[in-house]
Every structure is written in C-alpha cells, then in structure tokens.
Amino acid sequence: MNRRSFLKTSATGAASLLQPWPRDLFAANAKSRLRPSDPAWPSNKEWKRLNDAVGGNLIPVDFSIGGCVSSPADTCKDLFSNLKNPYYIGDAPGLTQTSGWVDAWTSKPSVYAVAARSAQDIAAAVKFAREHNLRLVVKGGGHSYQGTSNAPDSLLLWTRHMHDIRLHDNFVPQGCGATHVPQRAVTVGSGAYWLQAYDAVTSKGGAYVQGGGCTTVGVAGLIQSGGFGSFSKHYGTAASALLEAEVVTADGKIRIANACTNPDLFWALKGGGGGTFGAVSKLTLRVRDLPEFAGGASFHVQASSDDAYRRLIRQFVGFYREALFNDHWGEQAHFSPDNKLEISMVHLGLTTEESQKIWQPFLDWLAQSPSAYTLAPNRIIGGMPFRYWWDVDWRKEHHHPVFRADSRAGASPNKVWWNGDSGQVGWVVWGFESLWLPASLLKDDSQEKLANALFAASRISEVELHFNKGLAGAPPEAIAAAKDTATNPAVCDAFALAIVADGQGPAYPGFAGHEPDVAEGRKAAVTVHHCMNELRALAPLGGAYVSESNYFESDFQRSYWGANHARLAQIKKKYDPDGLFFVHNGVGSELWSPDGFTRL
Ligand SMILES: Cc1cc2nc3c(=O)[nH]c(=O)nc-3n(C[C@H](O)[C@H](O)[C@H](O)COP(=O)(O)OP(=O)(O)OC[C@H]3O[C@@H](n4cnc5c(N)ncnc54)[C@H](O)[C@@H]3O)c2cc1C
C-alpha cells in the first residue's frame, strides 16, 4: 500500500467515526494488536475516516534515518549533524531524542501519526486505536531514554503542535470552588517544551513555574515522570506543581483531573509515568513569585593522587552537608576516575557575594595544599537576576556562552539548549542507572562511609550526584507536596540522585560509519552497573527516578514508585482496563509482551 495515497482516495466522512460502538465490539480482548501486515489492519477508507475526524492531521510518518540506511544519498551527509539538534529531532514525528539503547531498543517510526491540534483530535485517535486494536504510542518532547514514546507498527499521537500557553491570575481547578483559593497559574498545551513555558512565565511574565532542567524536554512527559528542574530543591518536583490536567482516557473521554474531579487519576498523572493513564492534552501548573537572584558555582579541581582525591571527596561531602545541603543549592557534582571533582551547581536567592562567601572555606581548604589540588582557572561562582535565566538575548548581551542554538535556516534565535545537555542529543545509551541516596548518609558518622563509596565508585566510572533530584533539605511545603504525588516517597528522604551513565553520539544500526558500537556498549553497561553497585551497597532500597534509570531496572515497580505502586495499579485498572496505553516498565506493563503487542 502506498501510505501517502490513502488520504486522497477515500471519501468517508468524519461523522461515522464518532458514532459510539458497543463495548464488546472493541478488539480489547484480542490477544495481539495489529501490525500493517495483518489482514485486519485498517483499510485506506478507515484511515481516511480518521484523517477526516482529526481535521486532516493524520500523516504517514517519515523516517529520514531509515531512508538513508536503505539508499544513502547526498542529502544523508547532513543527517547526523541534524541529529545533534534537538529541535530538528523534535519537529520530526519519526525521530526520538535518544536514538536507542544497546541491546534494549532502537528508534523506529510509527506507521501513521495524528499530529493533534486539540483534545478532540486526541480523542479521535484514541478511539480509532481502540476500535481497531492498534498499538498506540504518545510522543511530546520525545526525550524518553527508554524509548517509551516510540513503537514501530503503531499509531502515534504526536502533540508537538499543541503548545498554547495562557497565564491566569486567579485560577481555581474545576469543581474546587469550595475548597481552593484562586491562585496564579499557567495552562500549557501538552506538546510544549519547557523553554516555551519559561519564556512565557519567567522571561516575559517575571514569575516562576517548576519544570525541567533541559529546555527541550516536553512539559507533559516531565510532569508525568515526576521530574525535576535545577531549582527543585526549593520548589519541589514539577509534578507537585500540577493543579489540573485535561486528559483523554482509554475510553476516548476527555476528562478533567484535579484534586476535586477524578482525584485518583490526577494523583497518578503526578509521577505515575507518561503514556500510561491516558493522553494529556493540557496541563495547568502553579506559578510562584520569582526570587531576585539565581546563579551557580562552576569549576573543577584536579587531585594529584588517588590518596589526595579520596581526601578531596571526604572534604566535599562534609562541606556539602555544612554549607550546601539546603534549598538554595541544586544540580551536580561529578567524581571521575581521573581524580577530578567537577562542580556544576546552581543556586537561587543568593547574590554573587553571598554565593562566593559560602564557597570560600572550601576554596581555602584547597589552597592549603597546592601540591595536592589544582583549581582550574575558569572558575565561576556568582549570581544574576533570575528574570534572565532563560533569556537568550540577555545571556548573549552579557557574554554567557551557555546555550547552543538551532542552526537551521530561518530558525527562531530562541530555540536553544544548554551546552551541558548537548552530549545527550540523539545519543545511543550504553548504560544508565540511578539511585536515590538517603540524607542519613550525610550524618557525621556516615560521611566517611559515603565518601569511601564515592571514591570506590569513581575508580570504576564517572559518578554524578544530582542534588536537585532529591528533596531532603527542601522546605517542608515542597516535601509535603511531593508526598502527595505518585513518585517513590524515597525522593523525599534523599539528598541527591546518583547517576552513572555512558553512551555514544547519534548512531543507527546499518548506517555505515555511524553504527552503534555494540561491543563497547555492552562493556560499558557492565561498568555502569558495577560502579553503581558501590553506592547501592549503602542504599540497597534507594529507588530510581523512572525517567532517568536503567532500561533493565530490576523490580522496577518498587524502584520507581515504592509503596505507591499498588495504588497506581488500581488506578490503571480503573481507567485503562484493557491496557491501551502501554510503555516499557510502566504501570500495568507486566501484562504485555515487551513490545506491547501481545497480552500475556
Ligand atoms: C537530554 C535530556 C535531558 C533531560 N533532562 C531532565 C531534567 O532536567 N529533569 C528531569 O527530571 N528529567 C530530565 N530528562 C528526562 C525527561 O524529563 C523524561 O524523559 C521526560 O519523560 C521526557 O518527556 P518528553 O515529553 O520530552 O518525552 P517523550 O519521550 O515524548 O515522553 C516521555 C513519556 O511520556 C509520555 N507522554 C508524552 N507526552 C504525553 C502526553 N501528552 N500524554 C500522555 N503521555 C505523554 C510518552 O508516551 C512517554 O512515555 C531528560 C532527558 C533527556 C533526554
């Protein structure tokens, strides 16, 4: 079948698609979902019906990589540089921000995509997938490391074009008039990426919304992950800021979910995992006052020997506990086999002088041992007006080379991403593990143990501590709000999320000169695991962040959601009893084959 021709040839109107059908006509009880090779795969006429129902927004999914694998052409030369541009990837329904994971998954396109413009489009796609027993997959920003917004032979619900943003001064969730006071909020289309929200709320609006660190991550994906931004140590998880969602559930109904209406679904959407409970069409998030200043500390220290490095880590652990373990400081410290300590932290609410004063004792300690420690000259510790954190023009004017920009002809200069995220654009993962580290490890009598474990792990691979992804040290209000989400409660007791990961740049099987290095990838996965085991020995039940974790996470239900999993499983059964929404290692995924096509 010529996939491009069906839209022109069939003449059935939209009305018939929208007719209700008896529940037992659903193919829900069928064991296997259909693939294009199945005789029962929808006919051109039926696809045309869907296309009419979604206002002509059904598109065959183009897959530039596949074309270049099968018949390399001159135009393919640019493909791999484009795959280092998250906006190029984000604009292509067939591509994903992670190109794959060795021995786990490889990016492959859906057959068709509904490039949705409204909740009604989403509802039509959900009903069609259900009626025809199709594998449905939802994609927003496309950043899933685990390939959960990607499924070959599927119908894709693509929300990229749904990025309207509206600020409210007095928002009350529907049905909450009697219990909720009006508050500032922002309603964001589910296909928006975070930079679009920050531009509206912070750069233009002078206020704050809790989102993700990476500018191109999708709003809906991150909220459902229970994700974190650089300032989460103060404001809490992004999911905690959700006030209301509009969501299409598996029965095709457009529902409102908030604390008063469908509160169980609302709770599940706050960290229960993307692509699992329904397809979100828009989200309303809490807006807060913006502190005057934000800033950071960015430098690295080279130790001259293993012994000096061990002492450096011990000193840093104590210093972190004393000076940085509070809601001002987030982001990262890295410990690596070459005996380098890399600090890449951000702060909020401090001036340049205040932030420098905080670090001075640590810098003094280093200065006492010049033969043991070399501080790289390009040290930055300081603050800036928070209002301009995501302001591309201001950053340019003030010579802050922190962003890379979409270099395609005609691209808006506001399409940027942090330099620090560049290594992950289009990458192939070799290994990735995370672990929440309880704050009890920072107690006086545990610091030595923690420092030794970090040193031992750093002998094997680079270890990153993401302080903003553990909420111990956050204000009680932020912790209480996170406890009212589906995320593993371990996040509330953790001072940091440890991450160990490795991978290579954009690559694709069969693409000569750009293939995944499977042998290196397998070796790296073992190394990553051994490295994390050094920390796991201290926190065997630490848990992992669902969206930044191992594809092969053992006991993923406990790791991602802890005691919350049982409630999530009930909610899944209530809103999606037939498992229309399936993602790898999602709630309810145990009932399906790994590809989500066959009910077990
Ligand atoms: C480079 C990079 C940087 C990252 N930085 C951070 C960070 O700073 N902080 C952090 O916490 N995490 C971070 N992550 C992890 C990221 O937040 C999660 O992977 C998140 O789920 C991605 O959302 P997305 O919409 O971009 O991705 P997608 O792959 O499109 O979606 C992720 C999941 O959500 C589902 N989904 C998406 N949209 C909808 C919708 N409208 N309705 C229902 N389900 C939907 C998808 O089906 C999929 O299962 C990062 C990931 C990458 C690759």
Side-chain angles (χ1 to χ4, degrees):
M1 176 175 75
N2 176 350
R3 291 201 266 129
R4 288 180 190 280
S5 66
F6 80 89
L7 299 176
K8 296 189 191 113
T9 53
S10 174
T12 311
S16 55
L17 181 75
L18 300 174
Q19 280 166 3
W21 53 87
R23 192 173 186 281
D24 59 0
L25 283 189
F26 289 157
N29 294 327
K31 273 219 50 102
S32 279
R33 292 186 166 134
L34 299 179
R35 296 182 189 271
S37 54
D38 286 307
W41 179 257
S43 64
N44 284 0
K45 201 168 156 191
E46 285 162 329
W47 284 112
K48 169 75 168 67
R49 212 154 50 92
L50 175 60
N51 186 46
D52 290 343
V54 298
N57 291 318
L58 180 70
I59 50 174
V61 180
D62 187 41
F63 187 53
S64 45
I65 303 179
C68 287
V69 169
S70 54
S71 45
D74 268 2
T75 48
C76 297
K77 278 194 209 133
D78 294 334
L79 180 62
F80 277 84
S81 62
N82 281 327
L83 289 178
K84 293 177 183 157
N85 176 351
Y87 293 92
Y88 172 86
I89 296 173
D91 290 341
L95 298 178
T96 45
Q97 302 280 351
T98 299
S99 298
W101 184 314
V102 166
D103 289 334
W105 68 279
T106 297
S107 187
K108 291 200 177 120
S110 299
V111 183
Y112 295 116
V114 169
R117 263 59 174 192
S118 66
Q120 286 70 24
D121 287 355
I122 293 180
V126 166
K127 285 177 187 164
F128 188 84
R130 197 183 160 113
E131 183 186 16
H132 292 281
N133 192 27
L134 303 182
R135 172 85 162 85
L136 182 69
V137 65
V138 188
K139 180 155 67 184
H143 285 70
S144 170
Y145 292 114
Q146 305 202 352
T148 57
S149 50
N150 163 87
D153 294 343
S154 65
L155 172 62
L156 173 68
L157 235 174
W158 189 46
T159 60
R160 182 75 167 179
H161 302 295
M162 295 177 64
H163 51 71
D164 284 352
I165 298 182
R166 198 154 60 90
L167 285 151
H168 315 265
D169 288 330
N170 294 299
F171 181 80
V172 179
Q174 282 184 38
C176 290
T179 49
H180 283 53
V181 290
Q183 61 181 307
R184 270 203 296 174
V186 60
T187 298
V188 183
S190 62
Y193 48 87
W194 282 106
L195 191 59
Q196 292 173 316
Y198 298 147
D199 184 52
V201 175
T202 303
S203 306
K204 296 198 172 77
Y208 184 83
V209 60
Q210 182 56 60
C214 173
T215 58
T216 54
V217 159
V219 171
L222 183 108
I223 294 285
Q224 292 173 89
S225 304
F228 310 87
S230 300
F231 307 103
S232 280
K233 201 64 138 187
H234 179 74
Y235 295 104
T237 66
S240 312
L242 184 67
L243 297 175
E244 181 169 287
E246 182 185 77
V247 54
V248 178
T249 41
D251 55 6
K253 285 199 174 128
I254 302 171
R255 295 175 195 264
I256 292 296
N258 61 41
C260 312
T261 308
N262 299 314
D264 50 358
L265 180 59
F266 177 59
W267 177 82
L269 293 173
K270 295 191 291 179
T276 301
F277 298 95
V280 176
S281 43
K282 62 185 173 194
L283 307 102
T284 302
L285 305 167
R286 190 174 163 197
V287 165
R288 263 87 68 101
D289 290 341
L290 194 66
E292 195 174 354
F293 298 106
S298 169
F299 60 89
H300 66 257
V301 185
Q302 180 69 54
S304 61
S305 66
D306 289 358
D307 189 46
Y309 194 50
R310 186 194 287 274
R311 280 183 281 122
L312 175 63
I313 294 177
R314 176 67 187 86
Q315 183 68 19
F316 178 74
V317 166
F319 174 69
Y320 175 80
R321 171 70 186 80
E322 275 314 299
L324 307 175
F325 179 44
N326 55 54
D327 65 335
H328 289 291
W329 291 92
E331 290 291 352
Q332 307 167 29
H334 295 199
F335 309 86
S336 44
D338 60 357
N339 291 341
K340 196 163 75 181
L341 169 66
E342 197 178 331
I343 301 296
S344 181
M345 294 187 69
V346 299
H347 67 71
L348 127 158
L350 302 170
T351 61
T352 293
E353 295 68 34
E354 286 166 335
S355 54
Q356 289 181 345
K357 199 167 157 206
I358 286 167
W359 279 91
Q360 201 54 51
F362 186 70
L363 300 177
D364 290 344
W365 183 85
L366 293 173
Q368 282 165 21
S369 308
S371 58
Y373 305 115
T374 309
L375 197 56
N378 51 350
R379 177 177 84 222
I380 300 170
I381 301 176
M384 59 176 270
F386 201 156
R387 173 99 192 226
Y388 304 118
W389 192 259
W390 292 285
D391 187 319
V392 178
D393 291 334
W394 190 93
R395 291 280 195 173
K396 242 184 237 161
E397 263 168 45
H398 291 78
H399 309 289
H400 290 192
V402 291
F403 290 130
R404 295 210 184 159
D406 184 351
S407 55
R408 290 173 298 168
S412 153
N414 281 336
K415 290 191 166 179
V416 297
W417 64 100
W418 299 110
N419 286 329
D421 287 322
S422 291
Q424 294 175 75
V425 184
W427 75 324
V428 172
V429 183
W430 288 348
F432 198 125
E433 299 195 10
S434 74
L435 177 73
W436 274 304
L437 297 176
S440 56
L441 293 171
L442 294 175
K443 287 188 180 148
D444 288 349
D445 56 357
S446 295
Q447 288 181 10
E448 188 79 20
K449 198 169 57 171
L450 173 61
N452 286 343
L454 285 168
F455 177 75
S458 77
R459 301 305 82 194
I460 302 170
S461 190
E462 180 169 322
V463 184
E464 304 173 3
L465 295 187
H466 293 230
F467 302 109
N468 52 314
K469 294 175 183 168
L471 295 189
E477 189 211 358
I479 292 179
K483 284 190 174 154
D484 188 27
T485 71
T487 300
N488 189 335
V491 69
C492 297
D493 300 324
F495 75 94
L497 181 76
I499 292 181
V500 183
D502 203 353
Q504 68 183 96
Y508 200 79
F511 202 119
H514 294 282
E515 296 208 58
D517 191 333
V518 174
E520 273 307 305
R522 287 180 182 157
K523 262 195 268 169
V526 172
T527 304
V528 164
H529 191 62
H530 285 163
C531 177
M532 191 58 100
N533 278 347
E534 296 290 342
L535 297 177
R536 215 171 264 125
L538 301 186
L541 298 177
Y545 167 36
V546 56
S547 283
E548 295 182 331
S549 62
N550 193 352
Y551 183 92
F552 306 99
E553 187 79 28
S554 61
D555 198 4
F556 70 88
Q557 300 90 338
R558 183 198 54 76
S559 273
Y560 298 156
W561 298 292
N564 288 333
H565 181 263
R567 186 175 166 200
L568 285 171
Q570 288 302 320
I571 297 169
K572 173 74 176 170
K573 223 188 254 174
K574 175 174 167 186
Y575 288 96
D576 186 16
D578 301 321
L580 181 68
F581 291 99
F582 166 93
V583 297
H584 171 74
N585 282 358
V587 173
S589 60
E590 312 84 349
L591 301 174
W592 291 85
S593 58
D595 61 6
F597 270 85
T598 307
R599 191 159 195 137
L600 302 174

